Amino acid sequence: MITTMKSALLLLGVLALTACKKEGSATEKDALYPTAVGANAAESTDPVKMIAQGKALFEGKGTCNSCHLADKKVIGPSIKEITKIYDEHQASIVTFLQGEGEAIVDPSQFPIMQANFSITKKMSEHELRAIEAYMRSF
Ligand code: HEC
């Protein structure tokens, strides 16, 4: 019984190795660590993934795009204007969205923005970082 299992495992191993050799290194990594890659996807710090996640939050759960466009002011300042001013002040968008910063872009309109903290305060720090990464990608 044990011997049968051993040889079955050995056979699987050999098959896996041959498959990897044929398909190249990218596939080899995916095949060997499928769960690790999957589990890390949501918390990935890979910039491309962060920006994609941020975009999804900005346009989805956050509904930020109903007031913020890339380079045109609608109800709120444009994304480019916000990030420019945040760069100049070396300020953190994450901290602001956690309700722990102060309005530096258009303080007179802050109450309109403040209403969104009920959504952003429920987001994880990683989600807020993704939103900041997306906003800074313009
Ligand atoms: C109902 C319209 C509205 C929505 C929705 C909205 N914002 Fe705003 N936002 C504003 C307005 C108006 C301002 C300008 C007031 C201000 O500067 O605080 C602003 C300002 C900001 C600022 C600059 C704050 C500062 O320092 O002055 C950031 C950053 C920001 N919004 C991010 C977001 C994000 C991220 C979302 C989605 C979670 C969002 N906003 C959703 C209207 C909105």
Side-chain angles (χ1 to χ4, degrees):
M1 176 65 184
I2 291 178
T3 335
T4 328
M5 274 177 65
K6 263 192 191 160
S7 42
L9 283 174
L10 196 70
L11 184 66
L12 272 176
V14 172
L15 279 175
L17 277 175
T18 352
C20 291
K21 263 184 204 141
K22 264 187 227 148
E23 314 250 338
S25 58
T27 323
E28 179 179 352
K29 207 178 160 214
D30 284 349
L32 286 176
Y33 307 110
T35 43
V37 170
N40 289 342
E43 292 275 294
S44 171
T45 49
D46 173 65
V48 176
K49 283 186 189 148
M50 289 283 281
I51 291 169
Q53 190 189 359
K55 183 180 197 292
L57 290 164
F58 199 89
E59 295 171 358
K61 189 155 72 160
T63 66
C64 320
N65 60 335
S66 57
C67 294
H68 298 288
L69 298 184
D71 39 21
K72 190 168 153 258
K73 183 188 158 81
V74 272
I75 298 165
S78 75
I79 298 174
K80 280 186 182 168
E81 189 190 350
I82 292 174
T83 50
K84 186 172 159 269
I85 292 173
Y86 268 73
D87 277 349
E88 284 163 7
H89 287 76
Q90 296 192 338
S92 158
I93 291 176
V94 171
T95 306
F96 175 78
L97 295 174
Q98 285 170 333
E100 284 157 21
E102 50 178 311
I104 53 175
V105 177
D106 191 358
S108 69
Q109 301 295 304
F110 176 60
I112 303 173
M113 180 56 211
Q114 196 175 20
N116 298 291
F117 288 171
S118 59
I119 301 172
T120 56
K121 278 182 173 174
K122 284 194 204 114
M123 291 182 180
S124 70
E125 190 177 336
H126 186 271
E127 287 178 310
L128 295 177
R129 279 190 203 192
I131 287 181
E132 176 156 11
Y134 170 64
M135 292 178 75
R136 290 185 180 282
S137 72
F138 286 92

